[in-house]
Amino acid sequence: MSSQKFTPQFYTTSYLPTWCPGCGDFGILAAIKNALSELQISPHSIVIVYGIGCAGNMNNNIKCYAFHSLHGRTLPVAVGVKLANKNLKVITVAGDGDYYGEGGNHFLHTARYNADILSIVCNNRLFSLTTGQSSPTSEIGMISKTTPYGEIKQPLNPIALSLAAGATFVARGAAFEIPHLTDLIKQGLEHKGFAHIDVFQQCVTFNKTQTVEWYKEKIYKLEEAGHDTNNFKAALDKSLETEKLPIGVFYETEKPSYEDGFEQLQGKPLVEQKTNYAKEELMKEFM
Amino acid sequence: MNNISIKIAGPAGFGIKVTGQILAKVFLRLGADVFAYTEYPSLIRGGHNTYQIDISDTDVSSPSEKTDILIAFTSEALSKEINNINNEAIVICDEKITLDSRLRENDKVVMAPLVEIAKNAGGELMKNTVALGLLLKILNLPLEKANEVLADTFGNKGEVAEQNKKALKEGYEWTLKHLNTKTLKHLNIFLNSLKLLKDKNNDGLLITGNQACALGAIAAGCQIYSAYPMTPATEILHYLEAKQKITNMIIHQGEDEIAVIHSALGASFAGARTACGTSGGGFALMTEGLSLAGQLELPIVIFEVMRPGPATGLPTWTEQGDLSFVLTAGHGDFPRAVLAPGNPADCFKLTQTAFNIADKYQIPVFVLSDKFLGESAYSISAEIFDKIELIDRGRIIKSLKQLNTKTLKSDTSEIFARYKLENDGVSWRTIPGVDNGEHMCSSTEHNENGLRCGEYICNSDEHNEVGFSDEVNEVRKKMVDKRQQKLIELQKKIPLPKIYGPADAEMTLVCWGSMLGPCLDSIKIQEYKNKKINVLHFSYIYPLPNSLDKFLKEFKKLVLVENNKTAQFGKLIRQEIGLEIKDKILKYDGRPIWKEEIIREIEKLKN
Ligand SMILES: Cc1ncc(C[n+]2csc(CCOP(=O)(O)OP(=O)(O)O)c2C)c(N)n1
Ligand code: SF4
């Protein structure tokens, strides 16, 4: 490791994280830097698009090209970046409220496009930056500032949704299982196409139900359970489990990515090309 | 100005538009100035569709209120248009349709077996081509030009091409056999005016505002166009999609307009020249992205092709009703520019200017047009499209070498400061992939170099970034001032509005964007009466030029002409320079202002 140019510390900026001590986002940050380091990806070829929330506040903490976008909008920004420069590694980091709620439509469609993007969702099952309100992944009965009598809406199932929408790499990690999460992120980065990693993230301040202990009792690793990651139906079955909660890769498959579908992008990235104003040819139809 | 107006009317699905376009091109190739205007409801079959062509020996840039020749394919089409025809009009229709009792004695009605002839030629659908042939003979125009255009439209070979050719010829011959064209009163005037055309050279093109905007984007080197279909902006999307293999552009149809503008911003951040386009309803969804562009200081061009709102409004009609919205859309204070072309030549030119302004000042820039300009076809000289503005990408650093040669290093001691406080408010920006310029493009407030405690070494492969989140009061204030400074700088460069017509006018029509055409055509009618009226046209809407207040004081009487209810441009002028233009001609029924209406309103104002 010491011979490596890009150590995890290399990706660390001088700006200290602003999370509560014990927040799961620390673990996710560490896993991202580990994965980038292990793959030796140089910071200038990485774009991370961040959402708005505690998770999105990671924007100050990783040395690379960062785009702190709006609440819910990481994915369309990432799609634009990727279309402009297909050579970049494009990652999104956002919370569950941001990604599944405000940005839910983008999630479905970017998965469908199979744009070559890795999405990491810091899923603490709450809106935390806004001091603890119910989110699309809050369980029925969850007490929060907007559900003082308990949540009455069903939570959505990120993994099942992702599979149904057409994501070509679908995984779940846990913020407190850093080596495991690092490995998932590495796989996601190496995957060509839309990779989605939902991450169980403890919010020590507002979520007193889904704590690290609570998760540790429930989780098990798919790779240890003999799960076939190429089997879509098996992946769907696994995504529906609620008693025990599987982490690991649910599903992966190869499909052409969105950018690869464009003939214009077969060679150089778009930013290195020129638009062709072929006047004579373009004028013909107007004569 | 010698002018003939021809209208083709019938239900959707009758090929009204194709027929109209063919006829318009026949006139274009004969050297005429042509203006083509369409009306259609938001449906696919049925309804009432019209394609109106105004032909003139001088510039024509708006439709006449009433037409001289009407081709009506159904009884309904005829009765809907009966009030829109001039006295002594020629009305061409199928022999089987029921005539309207409101037709006047001196209207010349030509009842021809259009359907029957079409069937003989190969199918009822071609009744419009039959009518075309019939009309050409009435106007004594040669068949060859029409055959050329037909071949360009349907190809040279194949069944469809052959059948249309036949239909055209048989229509033509029907007139020859059955019509004594000498009995058609007024025809001589038409013919005389057409004779004048012969002297004109015909390098003319027939092009819509939307197409000219799209061409402007291509000429400006736009690399990504991101959009979601919405009438009347869709034609830009269609056109660019169709041409992508020639232009090498990437056209992205996003899942909604929110996505569309954010993808455009992502691409802009990554260094591509980028635009997105929509109409008012779609732009409503884009507003948070607009605000984001303001905060991130990312260049982006937004085409907003207006239609009447609120809500879904009148999807296929026209209005200049979104100006106030575009001027104030997006939360927070940040600079923007709004350009509103007056015709396709302007669309082509200003679109290129818009891209340069966006890049130079790192701000969002609007090209604001509407259904009337966007979907009407104007004849313009092909030379217009040779005028390419030099592409200015502004302060963008695309390579490490470039970064090292910039003064950044000495100023900021080895730190690349994306949001560096330059005097003119514009900072250098790098693009991802450049290995010494990592920075954060942050939508939360950021400080100038963000790296007070940073350890970024400019010359190495590894670097620090700028744009750290910062809430310190002085930083906030400086950043707001920096961004606003760009507007002040831009304003210095904004030209004064253009004057058309006599310099010593007694009355000046003040208009913006698409209303240039009707205003210009109206003062041409007036010319004959020697009225001293001119037109002052604004295509730079925001910021307005610096010395506008002084400039406007020189005019004797200003009359505001706008295609909306609340005189939105008038309000802007009042807001910016404290001048209220009291006399107004406003129209908001979904139709453009007709030149004849302007004259009538002027007459009222005089009384
Ligand atoms: C358009 C918009 N709506 C609302 C907000 C306020 N807001 C900021 S963060 C947030 C929720 C964050 O929750 P989540 O995305 O789950 O991230 P977390 O803070 O839990 O990491 C909300 C509602 C906003 N910034 N923008
Ligand atoms: S509130 Fe929760 S999610 Fe936010 S920083 Fe604290 S622990 Fe983390």
Side-chain angles (χ1 to χ4, degrees), chain B residues 212-439:
Chain B
C213 281
L215 285 164
I218 300 167
C222 176
Q223 291 163 296
I224 297 193
Y225 183 68
S226 175
Y228 185 92
M230 187 169 193
T231 307
T234 312
E235 194 185 12
I236 301 176
L237 174 62
H238 285 176
Y239 181 80
L240 291 174
E241 283 278 12
K243 303 297 173 214
Q244 59 180 298
K245 295 278 159 80
I246 302 172
T247 62
N248 206 40
M249 279 174 77
I250 294 289
I251 316 301
H252 171 63
Q253 180 181 335
E255 58 270 25
D256 56 37
E257 288 86 349
I258 303 174
V260 157
I261 190 167
H262 284 86
S263 292
L265 289 174
S268 173
F269 166 70
R273 260 211 164 170
T274 317
C276 58
T278 183
S279 188
F283 177 62
L285 287 180
M286 289 186 179
T287 54
E288 62 164 44
L290 177 72
S291 184
L292 180 64
Q295 179 73 347
L296 299 179
E297 301 192 46
L298 283 176
I300 184 175
V301 170
I302 303 167
F303 293 101
E304 216 270 45
V305 190
M306 299 176 282
R307 70 192 215 187
T312 309
L314 297 175
T316 58
W317 299 84
T318 200
E319 196 166 289
Q320 295 182 299
D322 294 346
L323 175 60
S324 299
F325 178 41
V326 159
L327 286 167
T328 56
H331 50 293
D333 264 340
F334 60 92
R336 76 194 73 199
V338 182
L339 311 182
N343 54 37
D346 233 9
C347 288
F348 182 69
K349 182 172 180 289
L350 286 179
T351 295
Q352 297 178 67
T353 308
F355 278 99
N356 280 345
I357 293 175
D359 264 332
K360 207 166 163 207
Y361 299 92
Q362 300 175 3
I363 56 169
V365 181
F366 291 88
V367 177
L368 187 61
S369 78
D370 51 37
K371 186 264 172 181
F372 176 58
L373 169 59
E375 294 191 353
S376 296
Y378 300 61
S379 57
I380 65 174
S381 159
E383 280 168 21
I384 296 287
F385 295 95
D386 291 331
K387 293 181 191 152
I388 310 298
E389 210 173 290
L390 207 67
I391 293 174
D392 179 0
R393 295 297 322 262
R395 295 187 181 150
I396 188 167
I397 298 165
K398 288 180 166 177
S399 69
L400 180 60
K401 198 168 136 241
Q402 214 187 348
L403 181 66
N404 288 339
T405 58
K406 300 296 165 203
T407 55
L408 301 165
K409 225 169 70 173
S410 56
D411 280 356
T412 56
S413 65
E414 315 212 337
I415 291 166
F416 173 63
R418 163 66 182 101
Y419 296 106
K420 188 162 176 276
L421 299 173
E422 303 281 358
N423 287 341
D424 59 4
V426 186
S427 328
W428 286 91
R429 65 184 184 114
T430 55
I431 60 171
V434 176
D435 52 356
N436 258 25
E438 272 113 50
H439 67 269

Side-chain angles (χ1 to χ4, degrees), chain B residues 4 26 71 101 105 118 225 270 273 276 317 511 549:
Chain B
I4 320 171
V26 171
I71 302 177
S101 57
E105 226 168 71
Y225 183 68
R273 260 211 164 170
C276 58
W317 299 84
C511 63
D549 42 354

